[in-house]
Amino acid sequence: MTRRITLAAAQLGPIQRAEGRDVAVGRMLRLMEKAHQRGAQVVVFPELALTTFFPRWYEEDLAQANHWYETALPSNATAPLFEAARRYGIGFHLGYAELTPEGHRYNTAVYVHPSGQVVLKYRKVHLPGHRDFDPVRRVQHLEKRYFEPGDLGFPVIRAPIADTEANIGMMICNDRRWPEAWRVLGLQQVELVMLGYNTPSLNAENKGFEAHHLRVAHSHLSIQAGAYQNACFAVATAKAGTEDGHELFGHSIIVNPQGEIMAQATSWDDELIVAEADLGMCELGRRTIFDFARHRRPEHYTRITAQTGSEAPPRWQT
Ligand code: CDT
């Protein structure tokens, strides 16, 4: 039996700081309608999809930032997305800022079944940037101020999608650059990784020049390598364009388990890209070169979990 599903990445153009959730949700609904017309069964929206990428703005008092966070899902603002999912029979992935009843703040994503039930929740583990205002940076990237590292690990769940089931997992933006995150998902036989991102076109750390085309290349390299080495599909969806005067590079992609790009966004605006995935394709890598049970040597990987920073090697002695 073939296990085919139609995947969509729903790239969002910029959402300006002054724009409310109603604007973002309205645009997302149009993308869901398009996804339905194009036969998609899963739609992946970006990281922090409901607002501007607010960690670029410094707020001394965190409570003043509460308006950027969701305290419930669905809420009045997000309910139309859940209704559209039900209407079209489409599951969707949504990235948002989460404020829990206990006061914890996370950069979160959920996968919502067409019935409206949340199937899987993930909280971003690798938070880039810094905690305090950095006068050297051209643009602030305050994720370490606004979020705690996720406390859910990298969960994978087997869930119904269309007429079949798929092992789904998630990562968020910076996570895609960490092979450890992909491998933890791979070790749970993930077949579909959903990930959203907001990546500036410029490296704003002022520690050297990084060419624009390499910023995109590094993103694609990481996603293609992660999908290939873990024999899974990946839907990677960007927020794109000039947001609050700062450029995000877009280039959303859908990748197959061979690491090939099946579809790529070409605009820096709202754009839907679609690809058909035969989940059976995950078997080849899993049974051959990346048959983990046969080939992995974890006894030689202890540094991966025993150590965080790198250590200098011993110096060769004559
Ligand atoms: N949102 C996010 O994780 N963005 C990072 C850029 C960080 S630059 C400090 C990324 O890895 O794409």
Side-chain angles (χ1 to χ4, degrees):
M1 187 189 80
T2 56
R3 297 170 60 222
R4 287 182 190 280
I5 55 177
T6 305
L7 304 171
Q11 177 173 288
L12 289 173
I15 301 170
Q16 308 305 333
R17 190 180 186 181
E19 287 177 313
R21 284 165 178 71
D22 54 330
V23 176
V25 169
R27 286 162 50 186
M28 292 162 84
L29 289 173
R30 284 194 284 282
L31 287 164
M32 279 183 92
E33 187 183 352
K34 237 180 228 177
H36 170 62
Q37 287 161 355
R38 294 180 62 182
Q41 288 137 342
V42 176
V43 176
V44 177
F45 290 111
E47 173 191 35
L48 302 177
L50 299 167
T51 65
T52 192
F53 186 73
F54 68 88
R56 69 169 69 90
W57 301 111
Y58 179 77
E59 197 68 72
E60 178 67 31
D61 176 6
L62 270 187
Q64 296 302 315
N66 282 355
H67 62 102
W68 297 117
Y69 295 79
E70 309 306 309
T71 52
L73 214 63
S75 57
N76 286 344
T78 53
L81 295 172
F82 288 71
E83 285 154 20
R86 215 167 292 133
R87 186 160 65 247
Y88 301 135
I90 292 179
F92 72 96
H93 163 285
L94 177 71
Y96 64 101
E98 178 187 12
L99 177 56
T100 71
E102 299 76 30
H104 296 288
R105 298 165 193 273
Y106 299 105
N107 187 339
T108 298
V110 287
Y111 175 67
V112 180
H113 184 266
S115 65
Q117 284 170 287
V118 172
V119 173
L120 187 64
K121 177 185 271 197
Y122 168 67
R123 291 171 172 155
K124 186 174 182 177
V125 167
H126 297 101
L127 297 173
H130 47 108
R131 188 179 310 279
D132 299 313
F133 186 84
D134 181 349
V136 173
R137 289 184 64 98
R138 295 189 198 105
V139 190
Q140 302 299 301
H141 195 109
L142 292 154
E143 285 197 61
K144 287 193 197 300
R145 180 175 197 81
Y146 289 119
F147 305 117
E148 296 171 40
D151 60 349
L152 301 174
F154 291 95
V156 174
I157 193 160
R158 190 167 184 84
I161 294 188
D163 300 329
T164 185
E165 291 183 325
N167 300 344
I168 59 173
M170 295 173 191
M171 49 180 79
I172 300 180
C173 196
N174 189 262
D175 289 323
R176 73 195 187 284
R177 305 185 195 274
W178 299 91
E180 297 90 333
W182 288 95
R183 185 48 46 91
V184 172
L185 292 176
L187 285 167
Q188 298 168 82
Q189 299 180 2
V190 72
E191 293 173 315
L192 172 59
V193 174
M194 307 183 199
L195 81 98
Y197 62 97
N198 281 268
T199 303
S201 299
L202 276 180
N203 183 336
E205 284 206 62
N206 266 358
K207 288 182 180 160
F209 175 72
E210 194 177 18
H212 176 279
H213 71 281
L214 291 180
R215 302 276 290 168
V216 175
H218 295 157
S219 176
H220 286 184
L221 183 69
S222 304
I223 298 161
Q224 291 178 256
Y228 165 62
Q229 292 169 348
N230 295 283
C232 61
F233 288 86
V235 181
T237 310
K239 182 115 68 62
T242 305
E243 193 174 83
D244 302 342
H246 305 292
E247 197 178 275
L248 301 166
F249 66 54
H251 285 80
S252 305
I253 48 175
I254 302 176
V255 175
N256 72 19
Q258 295 289 343
E260 290 173 301
I261 295 177
M262 305 168 78
Q264 177 172 318
T266 53
S267 77
W268 286 25
D269 213 328
D270 293 359
E271 180 177 346
L272 192 88
I273 57 170
V274 175
E276 192 176 311
D278 175 359
L279 296 174
M281 237 185 123
C282 302
E283 289 298 316
L284 178 67
R286 201 159 282 159
R287 287 205 187 135
T288 59
I289 198 157
F290 296 117
D291 182 341
F292 295 157
R294 273 199 294 152
H295 305 307
R296 287 184 80 248
R297 291 284 170 256
E299 65 275 23
H300 296 296
Y301 310 150
T302 50
R303 278 182 188 274
I304 297 282
T305 52
Q307 194 176 318
T308 307
S310 64
E311 286 174 5
R315 190 173 291 274
W316 181 66
Q317 309 280 355
T318 52

